[in-house]
Amino acid sequence: MDIEGLIPAPLRATNSTAGFVLDQDTVVVAQPGTERIARHLCGTLAAATGLPLAPGKADNGNAIRLRTDPEVAAELGPEGYRLSVDGDGVTVLGGGAAGVHWGTQTLRQLLGPDAYRRAPMDPERQWRVPGCTVEDRPRFSWRGLMLDVSRHFLPKDDILRYLDLLAAHKLNVFHFHLTDDQGWRVEIKRFPKLTEIGSWRTRTKHGHRASELWDETPYGGHYTQDDIREIVAYAAERHIRVVPEIDIPGHSQAAISAYPELGNTDVIDTTTLSVWDTWGVTPNVLAPTDHTLRFYEGVFEEILDLFPAATSPFIHIGGDECPKDQWKASPAAQARIKELGLADEEELQSWFIRHFDSWLTARGRRLIGWDEILEGGLADGAAVSSWRGYAGGIAAAEAGHDVVMCPEQQVYLDHRQHGGPDEPMPIGYVRTLEDVYRFEPVPPGLTDEATRHILGTQANVWTEVMQNRSRVDYQVFPRLAAFAEVAWSALPISAERDFADFERRMTAHYARLDALGVDYRPPGGPLPWQKRPGILGRPIEGAPPNV
């Protein structure tokens, strides 16, 4: 392996003549603040290489040395690093602990694809690191993946695996979409029916919502609170922040099915509602009552305990796709609008969002929601996930709100990767590997002040047509590698990016993904077992609009 195959591309990298060979006597020297990184590095590399990689002292030769460095921090920032390899060993200097961690991910790439395996395949193999110096830092502080586990549930071990995949690509935010109409996935002890009832649906639509096919098997699952604590701790070990999402006031039918009093009982008999078994946008939304507010305050109290501020400074409240029909028809909702002096149902949703913004702010957290939360006015400290295009993010940034750019037309990885007939359950626009590589998170024309409010970018994965880990892998990879480079690297403008060079580097990266057991879409198209013939999707033809 050489430095020419790194993904994401580093800021600067130069070759030198003297490489370094790991052997039975190689030690890992962890300076204060890097001990957890050393344990993680040793765990992965010792498994792959069969070498002991014992702890060593600062004056050891034949060593991998890890430490933070104030000069690196000043030059490259807290997530930046400088990695150097010579005949005496490997030195990783980080601007902070996160920078050291990302440097070790580069070291793993330099050792070659077999460094990603869980056991040594050849005990006699020589593990050589090429002589080089790599200086690197991320472009954005928010480099994320949103994974929907409500439509289709992924067990805890699959989530831990995805955290490893994020770390391998230097992504540092995991947006955990835990609740929706089709299932509530997190244990809340004071409201046990959220998982006893709300985590199970009697059947599931197979394919797009217009499909005539159904899977009649009862479907569900949830994470216990201990599962969540393990996931959060695992993410923290990899310098990944977890952003839990609890949807309000729309996308809440699973919660209403468990606790019917949360719905608009003066409009519909909410006791007849069940966890939704199809896709789309349900009209059943939360009632704007004091009881609903107190209920969700109780939910969020447990969420804040499960997701500590150090790992989860942001709490996502959804706020998207909330039909107002029930509120328009509800005497109770109309009375609330009048009581609060609001203009309409849009402002009623804004009141809902503002309440929880104040509630979270008082507890040291920040609210983030989908760009619909801009409608009717947005509290000053709230941040926005701009999904419907760039427009919501532009409006939010110009108004002084922090923004994560994740436009559906560009980085929704549930959208199909090719226009051919073999793509499984094809959804949305064609977004090829090259399309994702040319995605630019910062739209032209923003003022300098507004640009400073772009926290970063995120790829989103909605799982309506992804029933298991293998299907998620197919949709996410290899495009997540291109997205990771967009989020991390200092690339030229979209049209000037060297996609041919990225494709060349992907040759080595496909071998890493193979070693990691990722069921990615091959460059030549889906393999026979990756196809889903005869299952209806919803392909959209033509280039996506730039909105």
Side-chain angles (χ1 to χ4, degrees):
M1 180 63 199
D2 60 33
I3 64 172
E4 298 300 321
L6 296 175
I7 291 178
L11 184 66
R12 290 182 289 272
T14 55
N15 283 302
S16 61
T17 55
F20 174 66
V21 177
L22 280 67
D23 61 26
Q24 293 289 331
D25 298 320
T26 302
V27 297
V28 176
V29 180
Q31 296 295 336
T34 68
E35 296 88 352
R36 291 169 64 186
I37 301 162
R39 285 196 300 272
H40 176 57
L41 178 68
C42 290
T44 54
L45 291 190
T49 64
L51 300 173
L53 298 177
K57 296 181 179 179
D59 56 355
N60 270 106
N62 192 4
I64 300 170
R65 306 173 191 85
L66 311 177
R67 67 179 171 90
T68 58
D69 185 276
E71 291 186 8
V72 173
E75 181 182 349
L76 299 173
E79 289 192 281
Y81 66 89
R82 182 178 295 121
L83 179 150
S84 56
V85 181
D86 57 27
D88 197 36
V90 179
T91 301
V92 181
L93 306 178
V100 176
H101 172 68
W102 303 128
T104 64
Q105 296 302 311
T106 297
L107 170 61
R108 199 176 178 195
Q109 287 197 19
L110 291 171
L111 281 164
D114 289 343
Y116 290 84
R117 297 192 179 274
R118 297 184 184 182
M121 297 188 298
D122 178 6
E124 305 302 317
R125 172 174 178 158
Q126 185 181 79
W127 292 92
R128 183 179 184 277
V129 191
C132 62
T133 299
V134 178
E135 293 185 319
D136 207 2
R137 66 182 175 210
R139 180 184 178 191
F140 294 110
S141 63
W142 186 301
R143 309 179 301 280
L145 177 78
M146 190 287 303
L147 185 59
D148 164 28
V149 295
S150 179
R151 277 49 176 266
H152 281 101
F153 179 71
L154 284 180
K156 179 199 69 178
D157 285 354
D158 289 345
I159 299 300
L160 300 181
R161 172 179 176 267
Y162 256 83
L163 292 170
D164 282 332
L165 291 171
L166 294 189
H169 291 83
K170 297 187 174 75
L171 297 172
N172 69 339
V173 175
F174 177 58
H175 177 167
F176 205 5
H177 183 82
L178 288 163
T179 75
D180 217 297
D181 302 306
Q182 294 85 1
W184 185 285
R185 304 295 178 216
V186 55
E187 178 188 22
I188 303 296
K189 291 187 180 294
R190 73 188 73 183
F191 302 124
K193 287 190 287 186
L194 286 171
T195 47
E196 291 171 4
I197 296 172
S199 70
W200 291 91
R201 56 184 183 255
T202 56
R203 63 176 186 168
T204 299
K205 175 66 71 173
H206 196 39
H208 184 257
R209 61 180 176 270
S211 167
E212 296 181 355
L213 300 177
W214 293 89
D215 183 339
E216 299 290 345
T217 307
Y219 185 90
H222 73 274
Y223 308 102
T224 68
Q225 293 202 350
D226 283 344
D227 289 339
I228 294 291
R229 291 187 179 97
E230 181 182 357
I231 288 167
V232 170
Y234 197 86
E237 289 274 351
R238 288 148 184 79
H239 293 270
I240 295 171
R241 287 175 284 158
V242 182
V243 179
E245 180 176 351
I246 304 295
D247 260 308
I248 57 173
H251 286 294
S252 298
Q253 186 164 321
I256 297 169
S257 73
Y259 292 92
E261 67 273 17
L262 296 173
N264 294 282
T265 57
D266 56 348
V267 174
I268 183 175
D269 181 0
T270 55
T271 63
T272 66
L273 296 178
S274 59
V275 177
W276 214 25
D277 56 14
T278 189
W279 321 124
V281 179
T282 174
N284 298 302
V285 302
L286 296 175
T289 64
D290 288 341
H291 174 76
T292 300
L293 297 182
R294 300 293 88 76
F295 183 96
Y296 273 87
E297 286 171 1
V299 169
F300 281 117
E301 282 178 4
E302 295 194 27
I303 291 294
L304 296 191
D305 179 61
L306 295 172
F307 296 88
T311 305
S312 303
F314 285 90
I315 305 295
H316 207 292
I317 51 74
D320 62 315
E321 296 179 326
C322 178
K324 310 300 190 295
D325 296 340
Q326 289 187 355
W327 289 351
K328 290 177 181 177
S330 164
Q334 292 302 308
R336 180 119 255 192
I337 289 173
K338 184 176 180 180
E339 170 200 337
L340 295 169
L342 304 176
D344 53 22
E345 291 78 20
E346 299 294 343
E347 288 195 5
L348 184 60
Q349 174 163 335
S350 177
W351 165 81
F352 226 117
I353 302 302
R354 285 173 181 271
H355 174 85
F356 284 100
D357 179 78
S358 299
W359 191 91
L360 289 167
T361 298
R363 289 156 181 80
R365 305 300 180 94
R366 291 188 63 190
L367 178 146
I368 186 169
W370 303 110
D371 54 59
E372 286 97 328
I373 68 174
L374 289 164
E375 297 164 2
L378 182 58
D380 290 343
V384 171
S385 302
S386 187
W387 77 272
R388 290 181 294 180
Y390 289 106
I394 292 170
E398 294 286 8
H401 296 286
D402 288 340
V403 174
V404 176
M405 283 293 188
C406 48
E408 172 188 17
Q409 302 84 356
Q410 309 297 330
V411 287
Y412 268 36
L413 299 185
D414 39 299
H415 284 214
R416 58 198 172 127
Q417 303 183 64
H418 191 274
D422 291 332
E423 292 306 304
M425 301 189 212
I427 299 295
Y429 298 102
V430 173
R431 293 287 86 194
T432 66
L433 184 67
E434 182 172 2
D435 290 330
V436 174
Y437 190 67
R438 296 194 186 281
F439 164 61
E440 173 49 51
V442 179
L446 277 187
T447 65
D448 290 344
E449 177 61 27
T451 299
R452 284 191 283 271
H453 284 289
I454 306 298
L455 298 176
T457 185
Q458 180 173 290
N460 294 339
V461 183
W462 301 101
T463 60
E464 286 92 338
V465 297
M466 302 178 213
Q467 304 97 318
N468 52 43
R469 186 182 88 178
S470 179
R471 277 288 289 122
V472 173
D473 278 4
Y474 180 91
Q475 292 301 131
V476 171
F477 289 97
R479 292 182 294 181
L480 193 69
F483 175 80
E485 184 149 310
V486 169
W488 176 279
S489 303
L491 298 177
I493 62 172
S494 178
E496 296 177 6
R497 293 176 188 172
D498 190 348
F499 180 69
D501 176 70
F502 178 77
E503 273 195 310
R504 180 190 61 78
R505 287 181 285 125
M506 278 301 298
T507 301
H509 202 67
Y510 283 121
R512 296 178 195 125
L513 297 178
D514 287 333
L516 286 163
V518 176
D519 292 324
Y520 58 85
R521 182 191 188 277
L527 299 169
W529 56 87
Q530 293 174 320
K531 302 174 184 179
R532 298 291 185 273
I535 302 176
L536 187 67
R538 182 177 173 264
I540 305 174
E541 300 304 329
N546 188 18
V547 295

